[in-house]
Amino acid sequence: MFIFDEITVDSGSREELIDITSKVKSAINSNQIKTSGILLISSMHTTAGITVNESADPAVKSDIRNWLQRLIPQHNSFKHIEGNSDAHLKTSLIGPSVQIPIIDGKLILGTWQGIFFCEFDGPRKRKVKFTFTGE
Amino acid sequence: MFIFDEITVDSGSREELIDITSKVKSAINSNQIKTSGILLISSMHTTAGITVNESADPAVKSDIRNWLQRLIPQHNSFKHIEGNSDAHLKTSLIGPSVQIPIIDGKLILGTWQGIFFCEFDGPRKRKVKFTFTGE
Amino acid sequence: MFIFDEITVDSGSREELIDITSKVKSAINSNQIKTSGILLISSMHTTAGITVNESADPAVKSDIRNWLQRLIPQHNSFKHIEGNSDAHLKTSLIGPSVQIPIIDGKLILGTWQGIFFCEFDGPRKRKVKFTFTGE
Protein backbone atom coordinates (compact mmCIF):
# COMPACT_ATOMS: atom_id res chain seq x y z
CA MET A 1 0.00 0.00 0.00
CA PHE A 2 1.36 3.41 -1.00
CA ILE A 3 -0.34 6.71 -0.09
CA PHE A 4 0.90 10.18 -1.03
CA ASP A 5 -0.80 13.31 0.29
CA GLU A 6 -0.10 16.90 1.30
CA ILE A 7 -0.60 18.88 4.52
CA THR A 8 -0.51 22.68 4.56
CA VAL A 9 0.80 24.76 7.45
CA ASP A 10 0.41 28.51 7.98
CA SER A 11 3.15 29.89 10.20
CA GLY A 12 2.52 33.09 12.17
CA SER A 13 6.00 34.43 12.93
CA ARG A 14 9.63 34.24 11.72
CA GLU A 15 10.61 31.35 14.00
CA GLU A 16 8.09 28.98 15.47
CA LEU A 17 7.52 25.28 16.22
CA ILE A 18 3.99 24.23 15.23
CA ASP A 19 2.51 20.95 16.50
CA ILE A 20 1.11 19.16 13.42
CA THR A 21 0.34 15.80 15.10
CA SER A 22 -3.43 16.27 14.78
CA LYS A 23 -3.08 17.23 11.08
CA VAL A 24 -1.05 14.07 10.50
CA LYS A 25 -3.67 11.95 12.28
CA SER A 26 -6.40 13.57 10.16
CA ALA A 27 -4.50 12.64 6.98
CA ILE A 28 -4.16 9.03 8.22
CA ASN A 29 -7.94 8.95 8.72
CA SER A 30 -8.90 10.69 5.48
CA ASN A 31 -6.66 8.27 3.54
CA GLN A 32 -8.27 5.34 5.40
CA ILE A 33 -4.93 3.86 6.46
CA LYS A 34 -5.75 0.89 8.72
CA THR A 35 -2.66 -1.24 8.04
CA SER A 36 0.96 -1.08 9.27
CA GLY A 37 4.01 0.55 7.71
CA ILE A 38 6.18 3.66 7.87
CA LEU A 39 5.05 7.26 7.48
CA LEU A 40 7.44 9.85 6.05
CA ILE A 41 6.60 13.51 6.82
CA SER A 42 8.71 15.88 4.64
CA SER A 43 9.10 19.64 4.53
CA MET A 44 9.22 20.93 0.95
CA HIS A 45 11.21 24.00 2.07
CA THR A 46 14.83 24.99 2.72
CA THR A 47 14.07 27.28 5.67
CA ALA A 48 11.71 24.98 7.60
CA GLY A 49 12.28 21.47 9.02
CA ILE A 50 10.36 18.72 10.81
CA THR A 51 11.10 17.20 14.23
CA VAL A 52 9.58 15.08 16.99
CA ASN A 53 9.57 16.56 20.50
CA GLU A 54 7.38 17.19 23.55
CA SER A 55 3.81 18.21 22.88
CA ALA A 56 2.60 18.35 26.50
CA ASP A 57 4.28 21.54 27.77
CA PRO A 58 4.21 24.38 25.19
CA ALA A 59 7.29 25.89 26.90
CA VAL A 60 9.41 23.16 25.27
CA LYS A 61 8.73 24.40 21.75
CA SER A 62 9.49 28.02 22.62
CA ASP A 63 12.65 26.94 24.50
CA ILE A 64 13.89 25.04 21.41
CA ARG A 65 13.24 28.14 19.27
CA ASN A 66 15.03 30.39 21.80
CA TRP A 67 18.04 28.07 22.11
CA LEU A 68 18.43 27.96 18.32
CA GLN A 69 18.17 31.76 18.13
CA ARG A 70 20.92 32.08 20.75
CA LEU A 71 23.20 29.58 18.99
CA ILE A 72 22.61 30.90 15.47
CA PRO A 73 21.47 34.55 15.54
CA GLN A 74 19.85 35.94 12.41
CA HIS A 75 21.96 39.11 12.23
CA ASN A 76 25.17 37.09 11.93
CA SER A 77 24.10 35.74 8.54
CA PHE A 78 26.85 35.34 5.96
CA LYS A 79 26.95 35.74 2.18
CA HIS A 80 23.54 34.50 1.02
CA ILE A 81 21.88 37.63 -0.36
CA GLU A 82 18.49 37.01 1.27
CA GLY A 83 20.10 37.36 4.74
CA ASN A 84 18.45 34.20 6.02
CA SER A 85 21.35 31.77 6.08
CA ASP A 86 20.67 31.21 9.80
CA ALA A 87 17.30 29.73 8.74
CA HIS A 88 18.98 27.42 6.19
CA LEU A 89 21.40 26.09 8.82
CA LYS A 90 18.66 25.63 11.44
CA THR A 91 16.70 23.61 8.86
CA SER A 92 19.61 21.24 8.18
CA LEU A 93 20.30 20.84 11.92
CA ILE A 94 16.67 19.94 12.67
CA GLY A 95 16.36 17.94 9.46
CA PRO A 96 13.93 18.02 6.54
CA SER A 97 11.75 15.04 7.55
CA VAL A 98 10.77 12.46 10.17
CA GLN A 99 9.68 8.82 9.88
CA ILE A 100 7.14 7.31 12.24
CA PRO A 101 5.98 3.68 12.47
CA ILE A 102 2.25 3.07 11.95
CA ILE A 103 0.61 -0.05 13.42
CA ASP A 104 -2.98 -0.85 12.37
CA GLY A 105 -3.50 2.76 11.31
CA LYS A 106 -2.16 4.21 14.58
CA LEU A 107 0.90 6.50 14.80
CA ILE A 108 3.54 5.00 17.12
CA LEU A 109 4.78 7.91 19.22
CA GLY A 110 6.03 7.96 22.81
CA THR A 111 3.78 9.28 25.58
CA TRP A 112 5.11 12.84 25.33
CA GLN A 113 6.01 12.91 21.62
CA GLY A 114 4.37 15.06 18.95
CA ILE A 115 5.36 15.99 15.38
CA PHE A 116 6.45 19.60 14.88
CA PHE A 117 6.80 21.77 11.78
CA CYS A 118 9.77 24.08 12.51
CA GLU A 119 9.45 27.47 10.78
CA PHE A 120 12.69 29.46 10.61
CA ASP A 121 11.83 32.15 8.04
CA GLY A 122 8.10 32.88 8.31
CA PRO A 123 5.42 33.85 8.44
CA ARG A 124 4.56 31.84 5.30
CA LYS A 125 2.17 29.32 3.81
CA ARG A 126 4.06 26.00 3.80
CA LYS A 127 3.69 22.52 2.31
CA VAL A 128 4.44 19.18 3.96
CA LYS A 129 4.33 15.87 2.06
CA PHE A 130 2.75 12.77 3.66
CA THR A 131 4.09 9.46 2.29
CA PHE A 132 2.97 6.08 3.64
CA THR A 133 4.49 2.77 2.56
CA GLY A 134 3.16 -0.36 4.15
CA GLU A 135 1.12 -3.51 4.00
CA MET B 1 7.41 -8.28 5.04
CA PHE B 2 6.74 -6.05 8.04
CA ILE B 3 8.33 -6.57 11.48
CA PHE B 4 7.74 -4.41 14.55
CA ASP B 5 9.68 -4.98 17.76
CA GLU B 6 11.10 -3.13 20.77
CA ILE B 7 14.59 -2.75 22.22
CA THR B 8 15.16 -1.53 25.78
CA VAL B 9 18.12 0.59 26.85
CA ASP B 10 19.23 1.40 30.40
CA SER B 11 21.26 4.60 30.54
CA GLY B 12 23.70 5.11 33.40
CA SER B 13 24.21 8.88 33.53
CA ARG B 14 22.51 12.17 32.53
CA GLU B 15 24.21 12.44 29.11
CA GLU B 16 25.65 9.44 27.37
CA LEU B 17 25.93 7.84 23.92
CA ILE B 18 25.28 4.08 24.09
CA ASP B 19 26.26 1.79 21.20
CA ILE B 20 23.16 -0.32 20.44
CA THR B 21 24.44 -1.94 17.22
CA SER B 22 24.67 -5.40 18.78
CA LYS B 23 21.14 -5.08 20.24
CA VAL B 24 19.85 -4.14 16.77
CA LYS B 25 21.64 -7.15 15.20
CA SER B 26 20.14 -9.41 17.89
CA ALA B 27 16.65 -8.14 17.02
CA ILE B 28 17.30 -8.82 13.30
CA ASN B 29 18.28 -12.38 14.21
CA SER B 30 15.47 -13.05 16.70
CA ASN B 31 12.94 -11.79 14.11
CA GLN B 32 14.56 -14.07 11.48
CA ILE B 33 14.94 -11.25 8.95
CA LYS B 34 16.85 -12.73 5.99
CA THR B 35 15.49 -10.50 3.22
CA SER B 36 16.23 -6.91 2.13
CA GLY B 37 14.54 -3.65 3.08
CA ILE B 38 14.86 -0.64 5.35
CA LEU B 39 15.13 -0.66 9.14
CA LEU B 40 13.79 2.29 11.16
CA ILE B 41 15.17 2.66 14.70
CA SER B 42 13.10 5.20 16.71
CA SER B 43 13.47 6.69 20.17
CA MET B 44 10.12 6.91 21.97
CA HIS B 45 11.39 9.82 24.11
CA THR B 46 11.70 13.60 23.89
CA THR B 47 15.04 13.82 25.75
CA ALA B 48 16.90 11.03 23.92
CA GLY B 49 17.72 10.63 20.21
CA ILE B 50 19.34 8.13 17.85
CA THR B 51 22.37 8.63 15.63
CA VAL B 52 24.99 6.79 13.57
CA ASN B 53 28.64 7.50 14.36
CA GLU B 54 32.00 5.87 15.04
CA SER B 55 31.94 2.73 17.15
CA ALA B 56 35.69 1.90 16.98
CA ASP B 57 37.17 4.58 19.29
CA PRO B 58 35.03 5.15 22.43
CA ALA B 59 36.53 8.68 22.71
CA VAL B 60 34.27 9.74 19.80
CA LYS B 61 31.07 9.17 21.77
CA SER B 62 32.37 11.07 24.81
CA ASP B 63 33.63 13.89 22.58
CA ILE B 64 30.17 14.24 20.97
CA ARG B 65 28.59 14.39 24.45
CA ASN B 66 31.18 16.97 25.62
CA TRP B 67 30.75 19.16 22.52
CA LEU B 68 26.97 19.18 22.96
CA GLN B 69 27.34 20.08 26.66
CA ARG B 70 29.61 22.98 25.73
CA LEU B 71 27.24 24.27 23.01
CA ILE B 72 24.04 23.81 25.03
CA PRO B 73 24.78 23.84 28.79
CA GLN B 74 22.11 22.47 31.11
CA HIS B 75 22.13 25.43 33.53
CA ASN B 76 21.12 27.84 30.77
CA SER B 77 17.74 26.15 30.36
CA PHE B 78 14.78 28.42 29.64
CA LYS B 79 11.12 28.34 30.64
CA HIS B 80 10.26 24.62 30.66
CA ILE B 81 9.57 23.88 34.31
CA GLU B 82 11.50 20.60 34.42
CA GLY B 83 14.74 22.52 33.70
CA ASN B 84 15.79 20.09 30.96
CA SER B 85 15.12 22.12 27.84
CA ASP B 86 18.78 21.61 26.87
CA ALA B 87 17.95 17.87 26.61
CA HIS B 88 14.93 18.56 24.39
CA LEU B 89 17.01 20.68 21.99
CA LYS B 90 19.87 18.15 21.88
CA THR B 91 17.29 15.47 21.00
CA SER B 92 15.91 17.46 18.05
CA LEU B 93 19.44 18.30 16.82
CA ILE B 94 20.52 14.63 16.88
CA GLY B 95 17.12 13.48 15.63
CA PRO B 96 14.59 10.94 16.91
CA SER B 97 15.44 8.06 14.56
CA VAL B 98 17.77 6.56 11.94
CA GLN B 99 17.10 4.42 8.88
CA ILE B 100 19.55 1.73 7.77
CA PRO B 101 19.40 -0.45 4.64
CA ILE B 102 19.29 -4.22 5.22
CA ILE B 103 20.49 -6.61 2.49
CA ASP B 104 19.82 -10.35 2.92
CA GLY B 105 19.35 -9.81 6.67
CA LYS B 106 22.59 -7.85 7.07
CA LEU B 107 22.75 -4.22 8.34
CA ILE B 108 24.47 -1.99 5.76
CA LEU B 109 26.77 0.25 7.80
CA GLY B 110 30.15 1.74 6.86
CA THR B 111 33.36 0.23 8.28
CA TRP B 112 33.43 2.55 11.30
CA GLN B 113 29.68 3.13 11.75
CA GLY B 114 27.58 1.99 14.70
CA ILE B 115 24.08 2.92 15.91
CA PHE B 116 23.96 5.01 19.09
CA PHE B 117 21.19 5.75 21.57
CA CYS B 118 21.84 9.33 22.78
CA GLU B 119 20.66 9.89 26.36
CA PHE B 120 20.35 13.55 27.35
CA ASP B 121 18.32 13.34 30.59
CA GLY B 122 19.16 10.05 32.27
CA PRO B 123 19.78 7.78 33.94
CA ARG B 124 16.53 6.12 32.83
CA LYS B 125 15.03 2.96 31.40
CA ARG B 126 14.29 3.75 27.72
CA LYS B 127 12.39 2.24 24.81
CA VAL B 128 13.45 2.08 21.15
CA LYS B 129 11.13 0.81 18.41
CA PHE B 130 12.46 -1.50 15.66
CA THR B 131 10.47 -1.33 12.40
CA PHE B 132 11.46 -3.30 9.28
CA THR B 133 9.73 -2.95 5.92
CA GLY B 134 11.04 -5.05 3.07
CA GLU B 135 10.73 -7.94 0.71
CA MET C 1 10.23 -3.31 -5.75
CA PHE C 2 13.59 -3.02 -3.97
CA ILE C 3 16.69 -1.40 -5.51
CA PHE C 4 20.08 -1.06 -3.85
CA ASP C 5 22.91 0.88 -5.50
CA GLU C 6 25.93 3.03 -4.68
CA ILE C 7 26.95 6.59 -5.57
CA THR C 8 30.55 7.78 -5.19
CA VAL C 9 31.52 11.33 -4.22
CA ASP C 10 34.98 12.92 -4.40
CA SER C 11 35.29 15.82 -1.98
CA GLY C 12 37.86 18.55 -2.69
CA SER C 13 38.45 20.17 0.72
CA ARG C 14 38.16 19.48 4.46
CA GLU C 15 34.63 20.88 4.82
CA GLU C 16 32.30 21.20 1.88
CA LEU C 17 28.65 20.69 0.89
CA ILE C 18 28.39 18.95 -2.49
CA ASP C 19 25.11 18.94 -4.44
CA ILE C 20 24.47 15.31 -5.42
CA THR C 21 20.91 15.77 -6.74
CA SER C 22 21.91 15.06 -10.34
CA LYS C 23 23.84 11.92 -9.29
CA VAL C 24 20.74 10.70 -7.44
CA LYS C 25 18.56 11.37 -10.50
CA SER C 26 21.06 9.47 -12.67
CA ALA C 27 20.83 6.47 -10.32
CA ILE C 28 17.01 6.58 -10.52
CA ASN C 29 17.29 6.51 -14.32
CA SER C 30 19.98 3.84 -14.55
CA ASN C 31 17.94 1.61 -12.21
CA GLN C 32 14.84 2.25 -14.36
CA ILE C 33 12.69 3.26 -11.38
CA LYS C 34 9.33 4.39 -12.81
CA THR C 35 7.11 3.54 -9.83
CA SER C 36 6.45 5.24 -6.46
CA GLY C 37 8.06 4.71 -3.08
CA ILE C 38 10.68 6.09 -0.73
CA LEU C 39 14.35 6.66 -1.49
CA LEU C 40 16.92 6.45 1.32
CA ILE C 41 20.28 8.15 0.66
CA SER C 42 22.86 7.11 3.30
CA SER C 43 26.43 8.21 4.00
CA MET C 44 28.65 5.23 4.85
CA HIS C 45 31.00 7.49 6.86
CA THR C 46 31.28 8.92 10.38
CA THR C 47 32.70 12.30 9.32
CA ALA C 48 30.26 13.09 6.48
CA GLY C 49 26.47 13.45 6.51
CA ILE C 50 23.59 14.02 4.09
CA THR C 51 21.09 16.88 4.09
CA VAL C 52 18.47 18.63 1.96
CA ASN C 53 18.89 22.37 1.46
CA GLU C 54 18.89 25.13 -1.16
CA SER C 55 20.52 24.29 -4.48
CA ALA C 56 19.76 27.60 -6.29
CA ASP C 57 22.20 30.01 -4.59
CA PRO C 58 25.65 28.41 -3.99
CA ALA C 59 26.20 30.91 -1.13
CA VAL C 60 23.81 28.85 1.01
CA LYS C 61 26.06 25.80 1.06
CA SER C 62 29.16 27.84 1.94
CA ASP C 63 27.19 29.72 4.63
CA ILE C 64 26.12 26.42 6.23
CA ARG C 65 29.76 25.24 6.21
CA ASN C 66 30.94 28.57 7.71
CA TRP C 67 28.25 28.58 10.43
CA LEU C 68 29.18 25.04 11.46
CA GLN C 69 32.89 25.95 11.54
CA ARG C 70 32.11 28.90 13.81
CA LEU C 71 29.91 26.83 16.15
CA ILE C 72 32.25 23.82 16.29
CA PRO C 73 35.84 24.83 15.46
CA GLN C 74 38.28 22.07 14.53
CA HIS C 75 41.07 23.17 16.89
CA ASN C 76 38.81 22.71 19.92
CA SER C 77 38.61 18.96 19.34
CA PHE C 78 38.61 16.79 22.44
CA LYS C 79 40.06 13.36 23.23
CA HIS C 80 39.68 11.41 19.98
CA ILE C 81 43.26 10.84 18.85
CA GLU C 82 42.64 11.72 15.21
CA GLY C 83 41.77 15.32 16.22
CA ASN C 84 38.61 15.34 14.12
CA SER C 85 35.92 15.05 16.76
CA ASP C 86 34.42 18.30 15.40
CA ALA C 87 33.74 16.37 12.16
CA HIS C 88 32.05 13.51 14.05
CA LEU C 89 29.73 15.93 15.87
CA LYS C 90 28.89 17.88 12.68
CA THR C 91 27.98 14.56 11.04
CA SER C 92 25.53 13.62 13.82
CA LEU C 93 23.99 17.11 13.83
CA ILE C 94 23.40 17.03 10.05
CA GLY C 95 22.45 13.36 10.15
CA PRO C 96 23.68 10.29 8.28
CA SER C 97 20.86 10.03 5.71
CA VAL C 98 17.78 11.58 4.08
CA GLN C 99 14.55 10.05 2.79
CA ILE C 100 12.77 11.45 -0.25
CA PRO C 101 9.41 10.40 -1.72
CA ILE C 102 9.47 9.21 -5.35
CA ILE C 103 6.30 9.42 -7.46
CA ASP C 104 6.28 7.68 -10.86
CA GLY C 105 10.08 7.70 -10.89
CA LYS C 106 10.35 11.41 -10.03
CA LEU C 107 12.09 12.76 -6.88
CA ILE C 108 9.66 14.84 -4.81
CA LEU C 109 11.66 17.88 -3.72
CA GLY C 110 10.50 21.46 -3.11
CA THR C 111 11.28 24.15 -5.70
CA TRP C 112 14.55 25.17 -4.06
CA GLN C 113 15.55 21.83 -2.53
CA GLY C 114 18.56 19.73 -3.51
CA ILE C 115 20.34 16.79 -1.84
CA PHE C 116 23.78 17.57 -0.39
CA PHE C 117 26.67 15.37 0.66
CA CYS C 118 28.28 17.16 3.64
CA GLU C 119 32.01 16.51 3.90
CA PHE C 120 33.55 17.42 7.27
CA ASP C 121 36.95 15.68 7.09
CA GLY C 122 38.04 15.62 3.45
CA PRO C 123 39.26 15.66 0.86
CA ARG C 124 38.37 11.99 0.42
CA LYS C 125 36.72 9.49 -1.90
CA ARG C 126 33.34 8.72 -0.31
CA LYS C 127 30.49 6.22 -0.69
CA VAL C 128 26.74 6.88 -0.50
CA LYS C 129 24.17 4.06 -0.55
CA PHE C 130 20.98 4.40 -2.63
CA THR C 131 18.04 2.29 -1.35
CA PHE C 132 14.59 2.38 -2.95
CA THR C 133 11.56 0.57 -1.54
CA GLY C 134 8.30 0.94 -3.37
CA GLU C 135 5.63 -0.42 -5.63
Side-chain angles (χ1 to χ4, degrees), chain B residues 22-34 105 130:
Chain B
S22 63
K23 287 193 177 207
V24 171
K25 287 180 178 171
S26 295
I28 291 171
N29 289 335
S30 65
N31 285 290
Q32 299 184 286
I33 297 172
K34 298 188 166 110
F130 172 107

Side-chain angles (χ1 to χ4, degrees), chain A residues 17-74:
Chain A
L17 273 71
I18 301 169
D19 190 334
I20 60 170
T21 315
S22 63
K23 288 194 176 203
V24 171
K25 287 180 178 169
S26 295
I28 291 171
N29 290 334
S30 66
N31 285 292
Q32 300 184 286
I33 297 171
K34 297 187 168 108
T35 57
S36 300
I38 290 178
L39 179 65
L40 170 64
I41 298 293
S42 319
S43 164
M44 289 290 105
H45 306 281
T46 59
T47 54
I50 310 278
T51 197
V52 167
N53 217 298
E54 180 174 330
S55 60
D57 179 359
V60 171
K61 65 184 186 181
S62 60
D63 281 359
I64 289 175
R65 182 201 58 204
N66 293 345
W67 265 115
L68 285 169
Q69 287 176 332
R70 182 188 290 184
L71 281 174
I72 308 155
Q74 183 187 0

Side-chain angles (χ1 to χ4, degrees), chain C residues 2 6 19 21 27 69 81 108 112 120 129-130:
Chain C
F2 181 80
E6 187 174 278
D19 190 334
T21 315
Q69 287 176 331
I81 199 161
I108 302 300
W112 309 106
F120 296 119
K129 296 296 186 187
F130 172 107

